[in-house]
Amino acid sequence: AVVALYYQSLEKILFQETARLNSASHPSLTQSCSFHRGLLSCCYMCILKAVGASGKLLLSGPHRNLDLRSVLQVMECTPYTYLKVSESFIRSLNISQNGSSVKDTPVNSIPLPRLLQQHLQHCEVLIMDSLLWEHDGTFGTGGNIMEVVSELQRTGSDGRGDICLWPPDILQPNLMEEFEDAGYTDRSNRHLCQDDDPEHVYISYLLRKLLKIAYFRIASFCTALKIPPSYPITTQIWVAFRYLLRHNIDLLYDRHLDQLLLCTLYGVCKIMKYEPELTFSKIIEVYTKTRGREIGERECQRIVRHIKLHPDDDEDLDKPRKKTHGNVIHLYNHIFVPSLKNHLLQSKSLKKATSDLRSRISQGGTPEVTHDCSESITSMADRAVNVSRGWHGPTTIPVGKGNVTLNIPLPGMPLSS
């Protein structure tokens, strides 16, 4: 079943590329081991979900307990490579829903069921949450985001004219609060980045997905904590998290996205002196209730209680041993605060928002919270991400050796011809 789906999806992807590029030859794609490993991983996840959902078939022993991490390890496919392929895989099997007819393709088949689409999208979220940021050699050697970001940061700081590859456009200061913190208001003065670098384009695409996930959760947490939507707290948490990605994205390495979101939420609320005071205990309680419905309370407890603080380093036995793991409070005190201290204490927009909040509370008290609609939070997430400059059209993505052009539009973006 995996092999059959693999050949079907491969043929459809090649058909789409032939129609788009007006070329029947795609050696950079067909000869890329990384691409095939990613495609096989997508097919494997689909078949595992389909068999499990049907209830009519039973998986054999070796396949029974496979999860996303195990599949990637078996296929020797890195999370970074998987994400390059998954969006194209989904769209190739749903070509009839994107302006073309299934009968016009070389393979007559029904579109990918909605259940499997949602499962693959859920897999993408799992990867964006933590797998993408892990230094884990068991995934293979297809490249990882940490190496790419490091290279882009070196390229962006070498002083070569107007070349600036970090931060990507999606993280460039583009919010009113960010320009206020930077001390200027003319957006035309931005240092333009080089948009034809494949890795730069792909990193922008990944960060756009990450930002949408992050804003949705920030808004959800604030709603669950009964923070009035009229207060500027959600906006300041968003600004602080974007600052973190722009200047300290390494804080995500070997950690979970939610861990940094909780630290940012607590830090901003503490600086703004929000009342009633939010303790980490209260935040964790609300987090467990909010996210527990999706990932389970046990996983929530693991996320907030088992966090990597420092790398395991036994080489120098003379130096005092640092605590290698801890909980979210240890992460906040020992890692987050030293990294974000300057922003939290010197941000002009944060100081202004704090002053406005204190004035509003003293004048009118605490308003009732009425904003609890998940659909409106989703719309807010879309708007928050779309404010920042994004990436448009198809992209050339390096997969293994050579570059591969795949038609991977951003969420909500139309397919480009």
Side-chain angles (χ1 to χ4, degrees):
V2 173
V3 174
L5 181 59
Y6 162 77
Y7 279 114
Q8 177 184 328
S9 58
L10 176 61
E11 187 171 1
K12 283 198 170 186
I13 289 175
L14 294 178
F15 176 80
Q16 285 185 315
E17 291 301 294
T18 297
R20 189 175 63 84
L21 300 175
N22 196 26
S23 172
S25 177
H26 310 287
S28 59
L29 189 65
T30 57
Q31 297 177 15
S32 169
C33 290
S34 297
F35 168 76
H36 293 292
R37 293 182 187 279
L39 189 57
L40 277 168
S41 299
C42 292
C43 296
Y44 210 147
M45 292 307 300
C46 278
I47 298 302
L48 288 176
K49 181 64 176 180
V51 172
S54 69
K56 298 179 180 179
L57 299 174
L58 294 178
L59 292 169
S60 60
H63 307 280
R64 193 165 298 161
N65 297 317
L66 285 178
D67 57 8
L68 177 59
R69 177 189 294 275
S70 301
V71 168
L72 294 179
Q73 290 172 340
V74 168
M75 295 298 177
E76 297 184 1
C77 173
T78 67
Y80 187 71
T81 298
Y82 178 92
L83 289 176
K84 289 181 179 180
V85 180
S86 62
E87 185 78 15
S88 185
F89 172 80
I90 295 173
R91 291 183 179 274
S92 70
L93 295 178
N94 288 279
I95 190 171
S96 63
Q97 298 178 5
N98 295 319
S100 300
S101 172
V102 172
K103 67 181 181 181
D104 294 331
T105 69
V107 181
N108 288 317
S109 61
I110 62 174
L112 193 67
R114 183 62 180 168
L115 174 67
L116 298 185
Q117 293 183 51
Q118 293 175 338
H119 179 61
L120 289 176
Q121 291 166 354
H122 175 66
C123 290
E124 289 185 356
V125 173
L126 291 178
I127 290 178
M128 297 299 302
D129 274 344
S130 59
L131 294 180
L132 182 64
W133 312 101
E134 292 184 11
H135 291 91
D136 190 343
T138 62
F139 288 130
T141 58
N144 61 63
I145 194 170
M146 289 74 75
E147 295 173 353
V148 176
V149 168
S150 178
E151 179 61 28
L152 293 179
Q153 289 173 333
R154 286 196 297 270
T155 305
S157 60
D158 64 1
R160 291 187 293 158
D162 61 352
I163 296 178
C164 173
L165 298 183
W166 189 267
D169 284 352
I170 192 70
L171 290 181
Q172 289 281 358
N174 208 48
L175 305 175
M176 180 180 65
E177 292 82 4
E178 292 174 328
F179 280 93
E180 188 175 353
D181 289 342
Y184 61 91
T185 58
D186 184 4
R187 301 188 180 196
S188 64
N189 289 334
R190 287 182 53 220
H191 192 50
L192 297 180
C193 292
Q194 189 181 54
D195 292 326
D196 58 353
D197 180 84
E199 292 290 2
H200 175 269
V201 171
Y202 181 55
I203 289 293
S204 295
Y205 166 72
L206 290 182
L207 289 174
R208 183 183 174 90
K209 295 172 77 75
L210 180 72
L211 286 170
K212 186 172 181 178
I213 295 170
Y215 189 87
F216 181 89
R217 291 182 188 168
I218 289 171
S220 298
F221 297 157
C222 289
T223 298
L225 288 165
K226 301 187 183 305
I227 297 176
S230 60
Y231 286 0
I233 293 178
T234 302
T235 299
Q236 287 301 324
I237 296 172
W238 176 238
V239 171
F241 183 71
R242 282 174 51 84
Y243 178 92
L244 182 152
L245 293 181
R246 191 159 55 243
H247 297 282
N248 302 97
I249 193 171
D250 58 294
L251 295 187
L252 270 174
Y253 298 172
D254 293 317
R255 301 189 179 104
H256 194 285
L257 170 63
D258 288 353
Q259 295 162 355
L260 276 303
L261 292 180
L262 295 179
C263 287
T264 308
L265 189 158
Y266 177 80
V268 170
C269 288
K270 186 176 180 65
I271 291 295
M272 297 186 72
K273 299 179 181 179
Y274 174 74
E275 296 178 357
E277 181 182 0
L278 288 179
T279 63
F280 254 123
S281 177
K282 177 63 176 178
I283 292 174
I284 292 173
E285 177 186 349
V286 168
Y287 169 74
T288 303
K289 291 181 180 179
T290 303
R291 291 279 283 144
R293 292 189 292 267
E294 180 184 353
I295 62 176
E297 291 189 6
R298 179 177 295 183
E299 178 64 11
C300 289
Q301 290 298 322
R302 187 195 67 80
I303 289 173
V304 299
R305 297 183 185 278
H306 188 75
I307 303 173
K308 190 168 187 178
L309 302 178
H310 301 286
D312 301 311
D313 188 4
D314 298 327
E315 293 182 1
D316 194 342
L317 299 179
D318 295 332
K319 290 184 178 181
R321 296 286 297 274
K322 291 183 178 179
K323 187 179 181 68
T324 58
H325 291 81
N327 58 35
V328 69
I329 299 176
H330 297 134
L331 175 65
Y332 178 82
N333 289 329
H334 301 297
I335 306 296
F336 181 85
V337 169
S339 300
L340 273 290
K341 182 178 180 179
N342 287 340
H343 171 77
L344 294 176
L345 295 181
Q346 300 177 13
S347 169
K348 295 179 181 178
S349 67
L350 184 55
K351 291 179 180 178
K352 180 180 178 181
T354 301
S355 177
D356 292 345
L357 176 62
R358 305 310 305 168
S359 176
R360 188 177 305 178
I361 292 177
S362 63
Q363 293 176 4
T366 303
E368 294 184 0
V369 181
T370 58
H371 176 66
D372 59 356
C373 176
S374 60
E375 287 188 356
S376 60
I377 293 178
T378 302
S379 300
M380 290 164 58
D382 286 330
R383 290 198 302 273
V385 174
N386 288 332
V387 165
S388 302
R389 278 181 31 169
W391 161 92
H392 303 274
T395 181
T396 301
I397 297 177
V399 181
K401 296 181 179 179
N403 294 334
V404 177
T405 301
L406 294 177
N407 203 5
I408 306 180
L410 293 174
M413 298 293 292
L415 285 170
S416 301
S417 58

